[in-house]
Amino acid sequence: MSQTLTTKQTAIGGRTFDSDKLLAVVCLIVPLIGLFLFFLYPMVIVFLRSITVEGGGYGLANYQEILASKGFWRATQHSLLMGGATTVVSVVLGYIIAHGLHRCVFPGKNLIRVAIVLPMLAPSLVQALGLIFIFGRNGLINRFFGLELEIYGFWGLLISNTLYALPQVVMIIGAALVLLDARIFEAAEVMGAKPSRQFRDLTLPGVIYAILSAAFVVFIITITDFGNAAVIGGDYSVLATEIYSQVIGQRNFNMGAVVGIMLLLPTVVSYYIERQAMKRQQNQKATNIQPYVPRFYGKRDVPMAMANYVIAAMIVLVIGVVVYASFVKLWPYNYSLTTKHYFITLAGGYSSLWVTIWISICAATLGTLAVFVLGVGLRRASAVLTQPIQVLASMPAAVPGMVLGLAYILTFNSTSTPLYLLYGSAALIAAVNFYHYHTQAFMTIMTGFRQFPSELEEAGESLGAGLGRISFNIIAPFVTPMLISIFFFLFMRSMVTLSAVVFLTTPKLSVAAVTIMRLDDAGLTSQAAAFSTAVMVVVGLALLGMKGILVLVQTHKARVKGA
Amino acid sequence: MYLTVSNATKHYGQFTALDDVSISIEQGEFVCLLGPSGCGKTTLLRTIAGLTEIDSGEVSLQGKPLTKVPARQRGFGIVFQSYSLFPNMTVAENIGYGLTIRKTPQAQIDERVEELLETISLPQVGGKYPGQLSGGQQQRVAIARAIAVDPSVLLLDEPLSALDAKVRASLRIEIRHLQKKLGIPTLMVTHDQEEALELADKIICMNHGVVVQAGTPKELYQNPKTRFVADFMGTSNLIPTARIRDEMPVLLTARPDGPDDAYIASIRPEQIAISAREDGTSTVLSTGFLGNLNRIEVDSPLGEILVETHGPCDLRQGQRVSLEILAEACHWVANDEDGVNP
C-alpha cells in the first residue's frame, strides 16, 4: 500500500526533525508561562511589596510595624482560634454525616446528600446571611421571643464557617470510608468483634489520615475565608478582614501585603501537612475493594439517623431561610410573598451575574484546556522536569484567595509593565479564578492520566499517530469524565468565589459574590438574599448538568463495555 | 539481513536491561525472543518499535539506520499483551486507525477493514466496541489493527499470555498461518518455550540482558549450548562431570576439554530408556501420569533422574529399574550456573 511506502521512505530517509517533540515542548511551555505570569510572578510581587518600606527601598519595617500593632495580634489570635474551633466542630459533624451515609442504615440518605451540597452552591457569605435572618437583631428568634441575642461575632462566624466547611469534610472522609474493604470487617465479625470494637480497631484507623487531611482543609478554608467574616464577623476581626481593611479601608497596600504574607504562613504549613496526610491515606488503598454494605443495627443506626437529620436540617434551614426571605415582603414584619426583591436596585442590577457566568465559562474552558495540555506535556517531559512542575502546579492551593487577589492588584494595577492592560478586565478575573483553583483541577487531570494505560499511547504511536492525534483521539476520550468534572468544578467555584476577586472588581466590573456583599453592606439584605438565590439557581443547574452529563458518559461507557 | 540490531546497550540506573545485544531478522522470518522475565526481551522489542531509546547501538532496517526515527514514522505493527484497543473506538475504527492517519480514502479503509475482519474470522464485529468482545477476540482485532497498514515488521509483545489455555493454543496456530500467508517478518517476545518452539523459525534465547543462544527451535532443543538454555527449553537432567566419569564414563567422549565445572551433562528425560529389572541399580521414587506421557523420578547412581515415557507404564514406586542412555543423548553444555533449577 502506497501510504506505508511513503512512511517507510521518510522513515528510512532518517528524518531527524520531530514535530512531536516541538508539540510536547509547547504543551509544557504554554501552561507554564500562564503559571509564571498569573501565579508565581504576582506572588513574588506581593512579597516584594510586603518588604517595601515607605519612601522606597527594602526592609522589614512593615513587619515590625505590623507585629507591634495590637490589631494584628488580635486578628491573628481570632483567626487561629476560629480556625481551630471550626475544625473541631465541622470534623466531628462531618464525620457523623459521612459515617451515617456510608456505614449506617436509615432512610432519607439522598436528602442528606442534597442538603450537604447546598453550601457549595452559594458564595460563602450566604450562610452568614441565613444566620442573620434567623438570629440577627431583626431575625426570627429575637423577634419571636423578644430576645436580644447577638449573632455577630464569634458564634455566628463559627456556625457559618462550620456550615461552609461541612461538605468538604463529608467528601474527604466519605471517599476514604468507601475504600475500606468489606472483607476485613467480615473477618473481624467471624473472629467475634462487636461493631463498636470494629469501629475502634478497623474503621477509625482506616480513615484516620483522611480525618487529619479534612481537618487541615477546614482549617485552611476557615482562616482564609472572607465572605462569612465580612458579613457576620462584626467586631470579631480576623486576618482576612484585616487585609481587606488595610487595602480597601486605608489604601495601605504594603501593609495589606504584610498581613497577606502572615496569613500565608499557617496556610502553607497546613497545606503541607494536609498533602502528607492525604498521601498516607491513599497509600492504604487496596486494589479490588469489596464494597461494604451495612446491615441495620438499631443501637447505632437510630441515634446516627437522628444526628444526620438534625445536621442536615440545620443546613437546609440556614440556606432555605435565605431563599424564603428573598420572597418575603418585609422580613421579619410582613411575611406576605413578593418578587419585588428580585428587582435589584443597586447600580448595575443583574449585569454582574451575567458577567460572572461569562467569566466562569471562560475560566472553566481555558482552565480545563490548560491542565489537559499541561498533563500531555508532562507525559513527554523528562523526569528531571516533571517533579518541579508538579510542585509548582500544586502550589496555588496553599495560597489564600485574599492573598492571590491582592497579588493580582499589585501586579496588574501597576503601569510599569504591559500587564496593566489586563487590569479591570473580565479576563483577569477569569485568570484569578482559574489559578486560585489550579491545584484541584491539575490533580484531577493527573489522576485521570495515571489511570491511562501507556500501551494505548504506544499502540497509537506505532500506528503512526503523532502527539496531537493521540491526545485528541485516545487520551481525551479516556479522561473525559475528569475533563467534565474539572470544567464544572472551575465553573462553580468561579461563580461563587469572593475572596480572590474582591480586590479586582471595579466600579464598572463587578461579580456576583461582590454584588451580594455590596447589597448586604447597603442594608438591602432581602435583595442580597434574592441575588444569592439567583446565583444558587445557576450553580445548582450547573451541578445538575454535570451529574447528567457524567451519567450519560458512564452509560455510554457501560454500553461500550457490554453486559 | 532485513532488520538488524547491533550492539544495543540499555541501562536503567544500575540495572542493565540490554548488554551489547546483536540480533537479526530475515525477510519473512518468524523470530521468537525467549527468556525469563527481566531478561531484557521486552526492552529489545520496544527498542525496535522505537518506544524505548537505547544508550548505544544501532537498529537498522534493510541497512538503513532507524535509531533517530520516532516510532510513528517506522511503519511497524505492534501487539501488546493487554490488547490495548482504543476503548472509545469501534472495532472497525480501531483497525482502520492507522489508515485514517495515513489519509487513506474512507472507502478503501472500509474495504481493508472488511477484508481483515474476514481474515481474523470475526466478520460481524466491526460495529462493536472492544469491551464487548472476549479476550481472544480482542487480541485478534489488535493483530488485525497492527497488520492493517502492511507493516514492514510485526512486533508481538507476549500476545498470548493474558489468554486462557484453549484460546491461547488456537490463536497460536492462527498467528502462525497468518504470518506465513502475509510473509511479514515478525518478532515475538515470549517466556513460554512451548509457544516459541511451535511458532518460531528462529529462537533467540536471552538471559540477563544478553543473547545466550540463537538458532532454530530444533537446534536449541537438541543442541543447547549452555546450562541455561538446556534448562529453560524444556526439562533436562543436568549431571556434573565427576558423576558421569564415575558412573557412565562412556558419555565423556563428546565432552569438550576443560575443567570439571566448566561443562555439565544435559540429558533429556525422553531420551532415557527405562526397564524393570530385579538387578537394576536404580529405584523408582515416584511416578506421575500426565495422560499422553508418564513422568518417572528415579534414584540412580547418577543422582535423581527424571525419565519420560510414552504409552502404558506399569512401573511402581520402589521398583528396581535400570536406565540406558546413548552417547548421542548426552549433550555437554557450558555450565553458566544460571539454570532455573540448579
Side-chain angles (χ1 to χ4, degrees):
Chain A
M1 207 164 284
S2 60
Q3 301 83 7
T4 346
L5 266 178
T6 41
T7 320
K8 273 185 216 167
Q9 276 155 2
T10 47
I12 291 154
R15 238 172 78 180
T16 46
F17 173 73
D18 188 349
S19 57
D20 257 26
K21 284 198 176 134
L22 183 69
L23 184 59
V25 169
V26 171
C27 281
L28 219 49
I29 296 260
V30 172
L32 277 182
I33 291 176
L35 268 172
F36 273 102
L37 218 52
F38 293 102
F39 175 66
L40 217 50
Y41 177 60
M43 290 311 292
V44 170
I45 295 285
V46 81
F47 175 72
L48 289 178
R49 285 296 288 266
S50 79
I51 56 169
T52 303
V53 293
E54 229 174 307
Y58 294 128
L60 293 175
N62 295 334
Y63 284 85
Q64 283 165 348
E65 193 180 321
I66 280 289
L67 291 176
S69 90
K70 279 207 186 102
F72 169 75
W73 285 111
R74 200 177 54 233
T76 306
Q77 212 182 341
H78 286 172
S79 271
L80 296 178
L81 187 64
M82 179 53 61
T86 308
T87 301
V88 172
V89 178
S90 50
V91 166
V92 170
L93 298 185
Y95 186 86
I96 290 172
I97 293 202
H99 196 89
L101 287 178
H102 295 290
R103 303 190 74 85
C104 296
V105 183
F106 53 79
K109 283 187 182 177
N110 277 335
L111 291 177
I112 289 173
R113 286 200 179 93
V114 170
I116 211 70
V117 169
L118 290 178
M120 302 182 74
L121 302 184
S124 66
L125 46 80
V126 166
Q127 289 74 237
L129 220 50
L131 284 176
I132 290 168
F133 280 121
I134 300 171
F135 297 104
R137 268 170 225 125
N138 278 325
L140 288 174
I141 304 286
N142 284 341
R143 287 298 298 176
F144 193 79
F145 296 103
L147 298 172
E148 295 273 316
L149 280 180
E150 177 65 50
I151 191 67
Y152 293 91
F154 180 82
W155 291 105
L157 191 50
L158 175 63
I159 300 171
S160 44
N161 278 335
T162 300
L163 294 179
Y164 181 56
L166 263 181
Q168 311 263 1
V169 180
V170 175
M171 276 196 295
I172 295 170
I173 298 178
L177 282 172
V178 165
L179 293 177
L180 291 181
D181 195 328
R183 282 166 297 205
I184 62 167
F185 294 93
E186 287 166 358
E189 189 79 38
V190 172
M191 289 160 82
K194 281 194 294 189
S196 58
R197 180 105 219 164
Q198 292 179 23
F199 174 75
R200 196 151 32 98
D201 294 346
L202 299 172
T203 316
L204 216 46
V207 297
I208 192 72
Y209 288 112
I211 293 175
L212 197 63
S213 162
F216 281 97
V217 166
V218 172
F219 187 76
I220 294 171
I221 60 179
T222 305
I223 62 171
T224 60
D225 176 69
F226 173 68
N228 282 323
V231 173
I232 210 169
D235 292 337
Y236 196 82
S237 68
V238 291
L239 285 173
T241 47
E242 189 67 17
I243 299 177
Y244 187 75
S245 71
Q246 289 285 354
V247 173
I248 301 293
Q250 303 170 26
R251 311 300 296 174
N252 196 339
F253 288 94
N254 292 359
M255 283 307 186
V258 175
V259 183
I261 297 291
M262 300 306 275
L263 177 60
L264 192 58
L265 293 178
T267 325
V268 168
V269 173
S270 304
Y271 178 63
Y272 180 75
I273 300 174
E274 190 269 323
R275 287 320 312 159
Q276 298 307 313
M278 207 51 183
K279 253 184 224 161
R280 296 217 181 161
Q281 181 67 41
Q282 282 161 350
N283 282 346
Q284 293 186 347
K285 197 168 91 182
T287 47
N288 287 326
I289 290 146
Q290 191 84 38
Y292 177 85
V293 182
R295 270 175 303 177
F296 182 76
Y297 177 63
K299 268 203 250 172
R300 172 194 68 195
D301 290 348
V302 173
M304 281 298 279
M306 291 305 135
N308 269 263
Y309 295 149
V310 169
I311 299 167
M314 268 168 48
I315 300 172
V316 173
L317 194 67
V318 172
I319 308 274
V321 80
V322 175
V323 179
Y324 178 56
S326 76
F327 288 107
V328 158
K329 217 165 224 165
L330 188 58
W331 191 273
Y333 306 100
N334 181 350
Y335 289 106
S336 55
L337 298 180
T338 172
T339 54
K340 71 166 184 177
H341 303 304
Y342 282 84
F343 299 94
I344 303 297
T345 52
L346 203 69
Y350 280 110
S351 69
S352 68
L353 181 62
W354 311 129
V355 169
T356 311
I357 293 175
W358 173 237
I359 286 174
S360 302
I361 290 173
C362 290
T365 311
L366 293 175
T368 308
L369 193 65
V371 289
F372 177 74
V373 165
L374 182 58
V376 168
L378 280 173
R379 274 188 95 74
R380 294 290 170 99
S382 71
V384 193
L385 283 175
T386 47
Q387 186 69 22
I389 293 174
Q390 286 190 351
V391 171
L392 176 65
S394 310
M395 271 160 56
V399 176
M402 294 293 283
V403 178
L404 193 62
L406 179 58
Y408 268 49
I409 199 172
L410 295 177
T411 307
F412 297 99
N413 193 18
S414 134
T415 46
S416 60
T417 67
L419 293 174
Y420 179 69
L421 291 172
L422 283 170
Y423 182 71
S425 72
L428 192 63
I429 295 181
V432 81
N433 282 336
F434 168 49
Y435 286 99
H436 186 191
Y437 294 105
H438 186 277
T439 305
Q440 291 86 336
F442 175 72
M443 283 179 174
T444 308
I445 199 75
M446 289 313 277
T447 310
F449 273 69
R450 263 194 294 276
Q451 290 164 1
F452 179 74
S454 57
E455 287 95 357
L456 285 186
E457 190 175 348
E458 291 170 348
E461 246 184 293
S462 295
L463 288 171
L467 183 58
R469 228 177 232 285
I470 288 175
S471 307
F472 262 100
N473 291 356
I474 304 170
I475 302 181
F478 189 89
V479 297
T480 299
M482 283 81 182
L483 295 176
I484 294 167
S485 305
I486 293 170
F487 177 87
F488 282 98
F489 167 78
L490 288 174
F491 177 82
M492 290 190 278
R493 294 323 294 172
S494 302
M495 280 303 297
V496 300
T497 191
L498 173 64
S499 58
V501 295
V502 70
F503 293 133
L504 296 177
T505 54
T506 62
K508 278 193 208 136
L509 177 76
S510 184
V511 295
V514 175
T515 303
I516 297 171
M517 189 176 82
R518 296 266 146 77
L519 286 167
D520 178 63
D521 275 350
L524 302 166
T525 322
S526 293
Q527 286 190 26
F531 208 104
S532 303
T533 307
V535 172
M536 284 192 273
V537 168
V538 172
V539 181
L541 287 177
L543 186 66
L544 284 179
M546 176 178 82
K547 297 265 175 197
I549 294 174
L550 283 177
V551 166
L552 281 182
V553 170
Q554 293 307 333
T555 43
H556 174 72
K557 282 209 167 167
R559 191 170 64 78
V560 160
K561 268 203 179 124
Chain B
M1 275 181 289
Y2 186 67
L3 179 88
T4 57
V5 176
S6 34
N7 313 101
T9 298
K10 172 80 183 174
H11 297 275
Y12 289 108
Q14 292 291 308
F15 179 73
T16 306
L18 295 177
D19 186 3
D20 198 26
V21 170
S22 301
I23 66 161
S24 67
I25 300 171
E26 303 298 331
Q27 184 72 53
E29 201 176 29
F30 197 120
V31 177
C32 274
L33 274 176
L34 179 69
S37 58
C39 73
K41 56 190 192 302
T42 295
T43 307
L44 185 55
L45 177 119
R46 293 173 59 85
T47 299
I48 295 170
L51 298 170
T52 297
E53 282 178 25
I54 38 177
D55 302 337
S56 64
E58 185 72 75
V59 179
S60 43
L61 185 69
Q62 294 180 304
K64 287 163 188 129
L66 280 184
T67 314
K68 288 222 168 70
V69 180
R72 78 197 136 87
Q73 288 171 6
R74 292 194 183 191
F76 292 177
I78 190 163
V79 176
F80 295 97
Q81 179 180 343
S82 51
Y83 324 137
S84 303
L85 296 174
F86 308 129
N88 53 304
M89 300 182 198
T90 63
V91 166
E93 284 166 351
N94 262 286
I95 297 177
Y97 190 64
L99 296 170
T100 308
I101 290 167
R102 285 160 178 75
K103 300 197 170 60
T104 311
Q106 191 57 42
Q108 232 171 301
I109 297 179
D110 293 344
E111 201 179 309
R112 178 82 173 130
V113 168
E114 198 73 13
E115 175 194 319
L116 283 162
L117 285 171
E118 288 289 342
T119 312
I120 58 169
S121 338
L122 291 172
Q124 304 300 328
V125 304
K128 290 195 175 178
Y129 285 92
Q132 296 169 310
L133 305 184
S134 71
Q137 290 174 327
Q138 287 191 51
Q139 197 59 298
R140 271 141 76 188
V141 172
I143 292 168
R145 182 178 69 178
I147 60 179
V149 294
D150 288 336
S152 41
V153 176
L154 182 61
L155 302 168
L156 309 171
D157 187 4
E158 306 233 13
L160 304 173
S161 302
L163 305 170
D164 52 40
K166 278 259 186 233
V167 181
R168 197 185 310 170
S170 74
L171 193 51
R172 197 192 281 174
I173 297 165
E174 260 182 77
I175 289 179
R176 183 63 181 149
H177 286 326
L178 197 60
Q179 195 270 341
K180 277 279 160 274
K181 195 173 99 187
L182 301 173
I184 305 173
T186 300
L187 182 71
M188 178 167 102
V189 158
T190 180
H191 62 263
D192 180 342
Q193 44 101 8
E194 217 178 289
E195 216 168 272
L197 286 172
E198 180 170 345
L199 285 171
D201 297 315
K202 179 165 89 190
I203 295 178
I204 296 170
C205 196
M206 289 184 70
N207 196 23
H208 293 319
V210 297
V211 173
V212 184
Q213 190 177 354
T216 64
K218 255 191 191 151
E219 275 167 12
L220 260 74
Y221 188 80
Q222 294 177 347
N223 236 328
K225 290 275 190 299
T226 75
R227 172 179 177 159
F228 170 77
V229 178
D231 209 23
F232 198 78
M233 301 284 295
T235 25
S236 265
N237 291 295
L238 296 166
I239 307 156
T241 308
R243 267 284 167 83
I244 299 279
R245 189 182 297 120
D246 293 347
E247 304 295 336
M248 272 192 195
V250 61
L251 299 181
L252 282 173
T253 47
R255 189 182 189 279
D257 292 332
D260 266 17
D261 57 358
Y263 294 95
I264 190 164
S266 155
I267 302 161
R268 296 288 183 193
E270 73 276 12
Q271 304 251 352
I272 302 173
I274 185 166
S275 50
R277 281 177 72 136
E278 284 305 318
D279 59 343
T281 52
S282 308
T283 319
V284 174
L285 287 173
S286 71
T287 61
F289 175 65
L290 276 78
N292 59 339
L293 78 147
N294 309 288
R295 190 164 283 173
I296 306 145
E297 280 188 311
V298 180
D299 181 26
S300 81
L302 290 172
E304 266 182 38
I305 295 287
L306 183 71
V307 182
E308 283 174 4
T309 67
H310 284 268
C313 167
D314 50 10
L315 295 172
R316 284 166 291 102
Q317 193 182 335
Q319 197 167 356
R320 303 295 285 178
V321 291
S322 78
L323 302 180
E324 194 184 335
I325 302 167
L326 297 176
E328 305 93 89
C330 176
H331 297 280
W332 288 94
V333 297
N335 188 10
D336 55 2
E337 294 279 345
D338 235 343
V340 179
N341 308 306

